[in-house]
């Protein structure tokens, strides 16, 4: 007899599910491996100081473009593979349908053979005991199987449980892999941050050293410029002093500036007024020598001068005190005079008031103005 239809269908479904599961796990593993490879390449580029550059990393950008192109190629290849898998699955389904139709045709032929054998037997000569009835192998006419009855319920339930268990396990593995990947990514990111901090400290140290070196170089240049400036100032002062000495010598020895005064004296040493042109050099030098001697004598007599100045200061202080006392005495005298004048003014006012009060019966201008005036 032909194999049962439910067993062949179950076997095909198990094969398809296992194949789909393996392909899904392969795709996930390939994706995880690609992410790990990209992260590892990026970490190597960041840690390698020779290949790392400040600014635009052309090589990294080209690598990213290349990775994107490869990702597109991989995606296209996966799409083609998925289409090939779909075609394969459709082919399996068509093949299974063909097998089911062939199995149904064979079952019908077997049933027809049984009917033919039963027809060839004589009337009322049916066997007393036939073969045991197998419900799965019987058709609908045997009244052993009914339309709508689920004969593969237990097997399907078991397969569904296995499938659910497989999916749950796969999801748990995917979640654990994602958690491990996130943890690894956090660890790599922390390492990347530490590396950036170290490189930043290194660059800052280099910048500090460079700034210190520039400061020392600037200091040396400034010192060199200051020394050169001081030397030039000294040289200019020396040149100026030499020029002054030369100018003085020229002024003293120039026949144009220094006229000849030798003929302004008589042989007896008397001055001729109409030919006198000033002192001669010896007389001027003698005057300078006398002035220098006078300055030295004055410096030697500095102590006496200081004592004299102290005496003058004491006299000035005494005079100032005397002037202050005189001024205070004069102010007091003026105040007394002012009080006396005020007292006299007050007495004069009182006297006028008294005269005004005692002037009844006195002869004044009003008396004389009444003459020649009629009172009627």
């Amino acid at each position: 007899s032909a194999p049962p239809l439910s067993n062949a269908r179950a076997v095909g479904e198990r094969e398809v599910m296992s194949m789909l599961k393996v392909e899904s796990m392969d795709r996930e593993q390939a994706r995880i491996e690609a992410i790990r490879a990209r992260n590892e390449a990026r970490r190597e580029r960041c840690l390698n100081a020779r290949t790392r550059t400040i600014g635009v990393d052309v090589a990294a950008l080209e690598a990213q473009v290349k990775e994107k192109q490869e990702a597109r190629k991989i995606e296209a290849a996966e799409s083609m593979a998925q289409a090939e898998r779909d075609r394969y699955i459709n082919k399996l389904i068509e093949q299974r349908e063909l097998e089911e139709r062939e199995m149904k045709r064979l079952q019908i032929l077997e049933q027809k053979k049984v009917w033919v054998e039963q027809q060839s037997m004589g009337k009322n000569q049916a066997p007393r005991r036939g073969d045991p009835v197998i419900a799965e192998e019987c058709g609908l006419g045997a009244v052993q199987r009914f339309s709508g009855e689920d004969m593969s319920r237990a097997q399907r339930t078991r397969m569904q449980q296995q499938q659910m268990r497989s999916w749950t396990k796969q999801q748990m593995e995917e979640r654990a892999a994602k958690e491990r990947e996130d943890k690894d990514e956090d660890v790599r990111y922390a390492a990347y941050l530490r590396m950036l901090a170290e490189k930043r400290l290194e660059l800052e140290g280099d910048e500090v050293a460079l700034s210190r070196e520039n400061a020392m170089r600037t200091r040396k240049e400034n010192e060199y410029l200051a020394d050169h400036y001081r030397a030039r100032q000294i040289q200019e002062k020396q040149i100026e002093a030499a020029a002054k000495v030369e100018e003085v010598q020229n002024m003293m020895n120039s026949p144009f500036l220094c006229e000849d005064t030798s003929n302004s004296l008589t042989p007896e040493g008397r001055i001729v007024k109409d030919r006198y042109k000033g002192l001669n050099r010896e007389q001027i030098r003698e005057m300078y020598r006398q002035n220098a001697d006078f300055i030295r004598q004055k410096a030697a007599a500095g102590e006496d001068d200081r004592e004299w100045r102290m005496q003058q200061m004491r006299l000035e202080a005494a005079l100032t005190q005397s002037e202050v006392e005189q001024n205070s005495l004069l102010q007091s005298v003026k105040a007394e005079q002012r009080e006396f004048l005020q007292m006299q003014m007050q007495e004069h006012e009182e006297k006028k008031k008294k005269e005004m009060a005692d002037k009844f019966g006195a002869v004044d201008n009003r008396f004389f103005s009444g003459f020649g005036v009629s009172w009627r």
Side-chain angles (χ1 to χ4, degrees):
S1 61
L5 180 60
S6 58
N7 294 335
R9 183 182 299 173
V11 172
E13 289 179 355
R14 283 198 298 271
E15 290 178 355
V16 173
M17 291 305 298
S18 61
M19 187 180 300
L20 293 175
K21 179 180 177 181
V22 170
E23 291 176 356
S24 177
M25 292 179 68
D26 291 340
R27 287 198 305 272
E28 185 66 23
Q29 186 66 27
R31 187 181 66 82
I32 293 171
E33 292 295 334
I35 292 173
R36 289 178 179 174
R38 287 196 298 271
N39 292 334
E40 185 65 24
R42 184 180 64 182
R43 188 179 70 83
E44 291 296 332
R45 287 197 307 273
C46 293
L47 292 178
N48 191 356
R50 294 183 177 179
T51 59
R52 188 181 67 252
T53 57
I54 302 302
V56 178
D57 192 353
V58 179
L61 293 176
E62 291 178 354
Q64 289 181 1
V65 172
K66 187 176 179 181
E67 288 178 0
K68 289 183 179 179
Q69 292 177 356
E70 291 179 355
R72 293 193 189 98
K73 291 180 181 180
I74 292 171
E75 185 177 357
E78 290 180 354
S79 299
M80 293 177 64
Q82 183 66 30
E84 186 66 26
R85 285 192 295 271
D86 293 340
R87 287 194 297 270
Y88 177 72
I89 292 171
N90 293 330
K91 185 177 179 181
L92 289 177
I93 293 172
E94 292 176 358
Q95 185 178 0
R96 187 176 301 112
E97 290 177 354
L98 291 174
E99 290 177 354
E100 289 179 356
R101 286 196 294 270
E102 183 65 22
M103 289 172 62
K104 185 178 292 186
R105 189 180 64 80
L106 293 175
Q107 289 178 359
I108 292 171
L109 291 176
E110 290 291 335
Q111 188 66 34
K112 287 181 178 181
K113 287 180 182 180
V114 173
W115 289 346
V116 171
E117 290 178 359
Q118 291 179 358
Q119 287 178 1
S120 62
M121 296 176 123
K123 189 177 181 180
N124 297 326
Q125 292 181 2
R128 294 181 177 274
R129 188 177 182 85
D131 297 331
V133 178
I134 300 174
E136 289 78 4
E137 297 179 359
C138 295
L140 296 177
V143 198
Q144 299 296 324
R145 298 176 61 185
F146 300 96
S147 178
E149 185 177 2
D150 191 1
M151 302 300 296
S152 60
R153 178 177 176 276
Q155 185 178 2
R156 190 179 65 257
T157 303
R158 184 170 61 255
M159 290 180 63
Q160 289 177 355
Q161 291 176 356
Q162 291 177 358
Q163 185 179 12
M164 185 62 67
R165 192 180 300 110
S166 175
W167 286 351
T168 305
K169 186 177 180 181
Q170 182 180 357
Q171 289 180 358
M172 291 175 64
E173 290 177 355
E174 290 177 356
R175 187 176 300 170
K178 188 176 183 302
E179 290 178 356
R180 289 194 300 270
E181 181 64 24
D182 293 340
K183 188 179 294 182
D184 295 339
E185 182 67 22
D186 293 338
V187 172
R188 287 192 295 270
Y189 185 68
Y192 175 70
L193 292 179
R194 286 197 300 271
M195 182 271 295
L196 288 180
E198 293 174 358
K199 294 300 179 181
R200 184 174 62 252
L201 292 176
E202 183 179 354
L203 291 175
E204 289 177 356
D206 295 339
E207 290 178 358
V208 170
L210 183 61
S211 62
R212 189 182 296 112
E213 184 179 355
N214 292 332
M216 293 297 294
R217 189 183 300 107
T218 305
R219 178 183 176 184
K220 290 181 180 179
E221 291 177 357
N222 292 334
E223 290 178 353
Y224 172 75
L225 293 175
D227 295 339
H228 182 69
Y229 178 76
R230 283 194 294 269
R232 188 175 63 184
Q233 289 291 329
I234 293 171
Q235 186 178 3
E236 290 178 356
K237 287 181 180 179
Q238 291 176 356
I239 294 172
E240 185 177 0
K244 288 181 179 179
V245 172
E246 185 178 358
E247 183 180 3
V248 172
Q249 293 294 332
N250 187 21
M251 291 175 65
M252 293 179 66
N253 299 322
S254 175
F256 179 75
L257 297 176
C258 300
E259 295 181 353
D260 188 10
T261 59
S262 60
N263 56 0
S264 63
L265 297 176
T266 63
E268 292 81 10
R270 299 180 64 181
I271 297 174
V272 182
K273 295 182 179 180
D274 58 348
R275 289 182 293 176
Y276 181 74
K277 296 182 180 180
L279 301 176
N280 57 19
R281 298 177 186 173
E282 293 298 331
Q283 291 174 347
I284 293 172
R285 292 193 183 95
E286 182 64 25
M287 189 179 293
Y288 282 147
R289 282 194 294 270
Q290 290 176 2
N291 290 334
D293 294 338
F294 179 74
I295 291 171
R296 284 194 297 271
Q297 291 175 4
K298 189 174 181 180
E303 295 293 332
D304 297 336
D305 292 341
R306 281 195 292 272
E307 184 65 27
W308 182 80
R309 284 196 296 272
M310 292 297 294
Q311 182 66 25
Q312 290 295 325
M313 290 174 64
R314 285 193 292 271
L315 290 174
E316 289 178 359
L319 290 173
T320 303
Q321 183 67 26
S322 175
E323 289 178 358
V324 170
E325 292 177 356
Q326 288 180 1
N327 289 330
S328 61
L329 180 62
L330 182 60
Q331 292 293 333
S332 62
V333 170
K334 288 181 178 180
E336 290 177 358
Q337 289 179 357
R338 194 181 301 107
E339 292 177 357
F340 180 74
L341 290 174
Q342 289 178 356
M343 184 177 65
Q344 285 183 349
M345 291 172 64
Q346 187 176 3
E347 289 177 356
H348 181 69
E349 291 292 333
E350 291 178 356
K351 185 176 179 181
K352 286 176 68 177
K353 290 179 181 180
K354 187 176 180 182
E355 288 178 354
M356 289 295 293
D358 295 341
K359 73 177 180 177
F360 181 74
V363 178
D364 54 5
N365 292 329
R366 288 182 297 179
F367 175 76
F368 291 105
S369 62
F371 287 100
V373 176
S374 177
W375 292 94
R376 288 183 294 179

